[in-house]
Amino acid sequence: MTRPPNLNALPYFEAVARRGSITRAAEELSISPSGVSQQIKLLEQQLGVKLFRRAGRNLSLTLEGELLAQTTGTALRMLSDVQANLRGTRNAARLNLRVSPSFGVRWLGPRLSDFIRQYPDFDLRVDAAPDPTDFDREIMDIEVRYGTGNWAGLHSTPLVADHVLPLVSPAYLARLPPDDPLSKARLIDSARALCQWDFWLWHHGQTRATNVKSVLMDRSSMALQLACDGAGVVLESLALAEAELTDGRLVPLTPALPVLSFPAYWMLSPARFLKRRPVRLFMDWAQGQAAAHQHRIERLLADNGLTVTQVDASAQLRPDQ
């Protein structure tokens, strides 16, 4: 059986291959040049090949050295990454969190200072990204994901419900015909929203006028700002638009029609992570924040004379299902 290479010598070899000099490699590794030379000599003896050729004071790799250097550099980088990740997972006072950008900015972000005040000894890292987390490959403890729930292999806890309704700036509403405002309105959709205009219109027994123009925005924050600027009517959730409705920048387009509601934001984590103290504490804290949010939304709906209809988000909110 072929003996494996001397693993102790590989970091010395990689440093010399990268720096092109035993002296520079020794300075980087904080050992003597003779110590580096000895490790290279032992490695060459074990492998039975020359790894370097001299060119003046510098060293260049032989063909065999090139082959070994390619593999060694990749392997050492992978080991370094794993070591860093393991150090992060061992830190019991660190919480790694992923959240979608708009929800992170509009809902979670303004509340995080309360969590930090309650748990000042925690290190917190927040990754605002729309991509689903691969918990087997990424150092992440919790993801707040937007969707319909029931993700295989993950523990999911409902956090915040969507309350979806058409919202419009008062100035734009004043320009619309009061008996049929949608016939002249520009419709603003959020591309990632579960409930979009086609479903909302179908659910309320309406059809999209053929001459109505539309705007499709990639982010809810952008869609809401466009509506505040008087460019159209946005179909959006009060989870993200609570502030605009509260301060009057946006108002309901049709208060007589019910608001559509369904669970939309979920806390996801592998079940084994629930034993971690930061995970448990964050989930308890977030559910407390969500309960307070729900009470405010209920008051806001009542103040605006709005009723609520629960819909089934698992049907993908399509009019043909």
Side-chain angles (χ1 to χ4, degrees):
M1 181 180 294
T2 303
R3 291 172 55 193
N6 179 8
L7 296 180
N8 290 332
L10 291 179
Y12 299 90
F13 165 76
E14 189 275 338
V16 176
R18 179 164 41 81
R19 301 299 299 271
S21 165
I22 287 179
T23 300
R24 289 194 290 268
E27 291 173 351
E28 178 181 310
L29 298 170
S30 298
I31 63 171
S32 67
S34 61
V36 176
S37 297
Q38 182 65 19
Q39 290 292 333
I40 300 299
K41 182 179 179 180
L42 291 174
L43 185 60
E44 289 180 329
Q45 289 175 349
Q46 183 183 9
L47 297 175
V49 296
K50 282 289 185 182
L51 299 174
F52 295 98
R53 64 172 64 92
R54 286 198 171 274
R57 293 186 177 182
N58 294 325
L59 297 177
S60 61
L61 290 164
T62 63
L63 177 59
E64 293 81 4
E66 288 279 5
L67 293 174
L68 182 60
Q70 292 174 8
T71 303
T72 302
T74 300
L76 291 177
R77 284 192 297 273
M78 292 175 65
L79 287 171
S80 178
D81 290 343
V82 169
Q83 184 180 26
N85 289 340
L86 290 176
R87 282 198 299 269
T89 58
R90 285 198 301 267
N91 186 349
R94 180 171 183 173
L95 181 67
N96 301 289
L97 177 67
R98 174 165 291 165
V99 62
S100 61
S102 290
F103 189 77
V105 170
R106 289 181 161 264
W107 195 92
L108 183 61
R111 294 168 169 83
L112 274 181
S113 60
D114 179 77
F115 179 78
I116 293 170
R117 280 193 297 269
Q118 291 191 40
Y119 304 103
D121 295 332
F122 282 5
D123 289 330
L124 181 64
R125 180 170 72 89
V126 180
D127 178 22
D131 303 318
T133 301
D134 185 341
F135 287 96
D136 292 329
R137 294 178 178 271
E138 300 180 70
I139 302 300
M140 199 63 62
D141 298 306
I142 303 172
E143 179 189 352
V144 180
R145 186 179 297 181
Y146 180 66
T148 58
N150 299 320
W151 289 279
L154 294 173
H155 176 84
S156 61
T157 302
L159 183 61
V160 174
D162 262 350
H163 292 81
V164 179
L165 72 161
L167 295 167
V168 61
S169 72
Y172 190 83
L173 180 61
R175 301 200 301 268
L176 299 176
D179 56 334
D180 188 12
L182 286 177
S183 64
K184 300 296 183 181
R186 182 181 292 272
L187 305 184
I188 304 172
D189 252 327
S190 298
R192 301 175 187 272
L194 291 172
C195 181
Q196 299 193 355
W197 273 110
D198 285 342
F199 176 82
W200 190 91
L201 291 167
W202 169 82
H203 188 275
H204 290 96
Q206 300 188 29
T207 58
R208 187 189 291 256
T210 56
N211 62 335
V212 166
K213 302 300 181 181
S214 64
V215 179
L216 184 63
M217 304 298 287
D218 185 54
R219 292 284 185 269
S220 291
S221 294
M222 298 168 65
L224 284 165
Q225 186 58 55
L226 199 61
C228 288
D229 292 339
V233 181
V234 66
L235 187 68
E236 194 50 83
S237 167
L238 293 183
L240 305 180
E242 177 186 356
E244 285 81 358
L245 185 59
T246 300
D247 63 23
R249 281 176 290 163
L250 294 177
V251 296
L253 176 74
T254 53
L257 295 177
V259 175
L260 303 185
S261 181
F262 51 91
Y265 294 93
W266 306 71
M267 290 186 292
L268 304 182
S269 188
R272 65 185 184 275
F273 288 8
L274 301 180
K275 298 178 181 179
R276 299 177 183 175
R277 182 170 176 266
V279 171
R280 296 195 310 271
L281 291 176
F282 179 84
M283 286 187 169
D284 290 345
W285 171 84
Q287 287 182 311
Q289 295 291 321
H293 165 80
Q294 178 64 25
H295 290 317
R296 287 195 303 274
I297 293 300
E298 289 172 358
R299 290 198 302 269
L300 192 58
L301 293 171
D303 291 344
N304 285 273
L306 297 164
T307 60
V308 177
T309 295
Q310 299 291 328
V311 295
D312 184 7
S314 63
Q316 298 181 356
L317 298 171
R318 295 183 184 276
D320 56 347
Q321 296 188 8

